[in-house]
Amino acid sequence: MFSKLFSRKKEVQPTQLLAPLTGKAVHLEEVPDPVFSQKIAGDGLAIDPTEGVLVAPVDAKVVHLFNTGHAIGLQTANGAEILMHIGIDTVNLNGEGFSAKVTTGQDVKAGQTLIEFDLDIIKNAGYPVITPIIITNSDAVESMTQFVGASVTRGQEKVLEVTLKA
């Protein structure tokens, strides 16, 4: 009799990701790597950075920090999984020019510095600095809105809004 009153579908709040880098926000299709541009690893956007500081785009837990410091995985409290991969093929630098400021398992706040990196080292080695920011558990995503085409400042402008399935 009261089942309709008590079985309301839980409303899922969207997760808003702030720019993790300062630079220009672009479509993922502009990344010169098919794993990212064809959304094989997940959907999202990319930022072409103008400075070498990567910050947390949202309050989250560090679930994976690559030992080379070129990429980091975060998970939000509601389950969104975020991968940020600094540059393309930068794993080949074996950590040169990357300095992680957090550790795996650490809780981070939006705007907190995660990794500092040297843009010149990456560019001089011949690697693109464009940085994909992707939601790796795209199968759990109900909707996603990307805010691209503009210059963004780390920790300030919203670049992604993700709503997970209930």
Side-chain angles (χ1 to χ4, degrees), residues 104-165:
T104 301
Q106 184 176 339
D107 290 321
V108 294
K109 295 287 184 192
Q112 181 177 340
T113 299
L114 303 174
I115 300 170
E116 292 177 353
F117 56 99
D118 189 317
L119 284 170
D120 289 332
I121 288 176
I122 297 169
K123 289 176 183 177
N124 291 339
Y127 300 116
V129 294
I130 193 165
T131 300
I133 294 96
I134 59 174
I135 306 300
T136 57
N137 59 336
S138 295
D139 57 328
V141 174
E142 180 74 34
S143 66
M144 179 184 302
T145 304
Q146 297 104 344
F147 302 92
V148 297
S151 292
V152 294
T153 303
R154 63 182 155 91
Q156 307 238 341
E157 292 86 8
K158 177 172 60 171
V159 293
L160 269 179
E161 187 170 272
V162 179
T163 302
L164 298 179
K165 296 174 184 171

Side-chain angles (χ1 to χ4, degrees), residues 15-92:
T15 299
Q16 297 187 5
L17 278 69
L18 300 177
L21 296 157
T22 296
K24 184 172 183 185
V26 298
H27 291 282
L28 207 49
E29 291 84 359
E30 295 183 37
V31 175
D33 182 316
V35 171
F36 298 114
S37 65
Q38 295 176 15
K39 303 178 184 179
I40 294 167
D43 200 356
L45 72 146
I47 296 178
D48 196 1
T50 56
E51 66 176 24
V53 179
L54 179 78
V55 302
V58 64
D59 294 352
K61 179 181 282 294
V62 177
V63 293
H64 190 71
L65 177 62
F66 290 75
N67 62 356
T68 55
H70 78 285
I72 189 167
L74 304 176
Q75 185 171 30
T76 64
N78 69 352
E81 297 171 1
I82 305 158
L83 172 68
M84 295 178 287
H85 191 285
I86 301 167
I88 303 302
D89 294 329
T90 50
V91 65
N92 297 327

